[in-house]
Amino acid sequence: MDLYHEFTVPVPVQDAWRVLLDIERVAPCMPGATVEDYDGKTVTGSVKVKVGPITLTYRGTAVFEEQDEEAHRIVLIASGKEARGQGTARATVTGTLSERDGGTAVSVRTDLTVTGRPAQFGRGVMAEVGDKLVGQFADCLSERLEGTGGVEGPGGLEEPGRLKESELLNEPTASVSSEAEPIDLLRTAGVPVAKRLVAVVAAAAVAALVFLRIRRRRHR
């Protein structure tokens, strides 16, 4: 399924570019994600997803296939597998940064393939969940960026909205984030979506009962 999201951050494009490539800095803002290792190109970690009473853990890697600083474009290929199950997830994520009103607009296009329990939600629900998760990520990142100081401009004055050089370093590091809380798909999807899911499950249950009754009558 193809998903598209966009958000803005309150810093110039060049600063946003460096920050978004700083895995240590952005990892705490990634819902459900735990980063275990990063060597400058490949991220190793896990993502926890909760579906009702069941919690699924996907373990895998994400590789930066492209980092075009001039075009401010990145391509990330991520793949993972359920730690205890046969479900898989694979995504090609293309991010593009552009200047907007003194800040930076970040557009993210995701080509996502999911198998296993989360696949039952379908594209519509996954898009709604994606919107909310990207919104959470953007809000968290914006708060972190707004909480940083500026760098000295001409005359020793600080330039608001620019990050200090020490805050823009992108050095590989291991164990860069602590254990994350799982993404609760039903809670994130919201009540209307949850009701739709309940209706689908109920319809499936009724169909199953009808099928069983027909089979029993045939065997009599």
Side-chain angles (χ1 to χ4, degrees):
M1 66 184 72
D2 189 37
L3 306 174
Y4 179 81
H5 302 93
E6 185 174 287
F7 62 92
T8 60
V9 289
V11 295
V13 172
Q14 194 59 35
D15 289 353
W17 170 260
R18 296 183 187 180
V19 170
L20 287 172
L21 291 180
D22 185 345
I23 298 301
E24 181 177 15
R25 188 183 187 86
V26 303
C29 289
M30 299 177 182
T34 299
V35 175
E36 298 166 359
D37 187 65
Y38 176 51
D39 63 7
K41 181 178 181 180
T42 302
V43 183
T44 302
S46 62
V47 176
K48 287 186 176 182
V49 179
K50 186 178 180 183
V51 185
I54 302 171
T55 298
L56 309 174
T57 300
Y58 290 86
R59 297 189 181 280
T61 60
V63 180
F64 284 98
E65 289 292 313
E66 181 182 330
Q67 295 184 26
D68 188 337
E69 185 171 1
E70 184 176 350
H72 296 122
R73 181 177 184 270
I74 62 172
V75 178
L76 186 72
I77 296 180
S79 61
K81 185 180 182 299
E82 279 186 51
R84 298 179 181 179
Q86 299 301 313
T88 61
R90 180 177 175 81
T92 298
V93 182
T94 302
T96 306
L97 282 64
S98 58
E99 184 178 355
R100 179 179 295 174
D101 299 328
T104 300
V106 184
S107 63
V108 183
R109 188 171 298 280
T110 306
D111 182 4
L112 176 66
T113 303
V114 180
T115 66
R117 293 181 183 88
Q120 67 183 300
F121 287 83
R123 186 191 184 288
V125 175
M126 293 300 288
E128 290 184 48
V129 171
D131 285 339
K132 293 190 177 182
L133 294 180
V134 169
Q136 291 174 18
F137 173 79
D139 289 344
C140 174
L141 191 61
S142 294
E143 288 178 6
R144 286 172 176 268
L145 292 175
E146 288 174 346
T148 59
V151 295
E152 289 188 358
L157 298 176
E158 286 192 345
E159 281 187 63
R162 291 193 59 83
L163 304 179
K164 295 178 182 177
E165 188 65 28
S166 61
E167 294 169 330
L168 297 174
L169 296 178
N170 183 20
E171 299 179 355
T173 180
S175 301
V176 295
S177 69
S178 57
E179 194 74 13
E181 288 294 320
I183 301 168
D184 190 328
L185 287 185
L186 291 180
R187 181 178 297 177
T188 303
V191 175
V193 175
K195 286 182 177 179
R196 293 208 303 269
L197 292 175
V198 170
V200 170
V201 173
V206 171
L209 288 174
V210 171
F211 177 73
L212 288 175
R213 288 179 181 177
I214 291 175
R215 288 195 60 184
R216 287 173 182 172
R217 290 176 182 175
R218 286 179 179 176
H219 285 291
R220 288 179 182 175

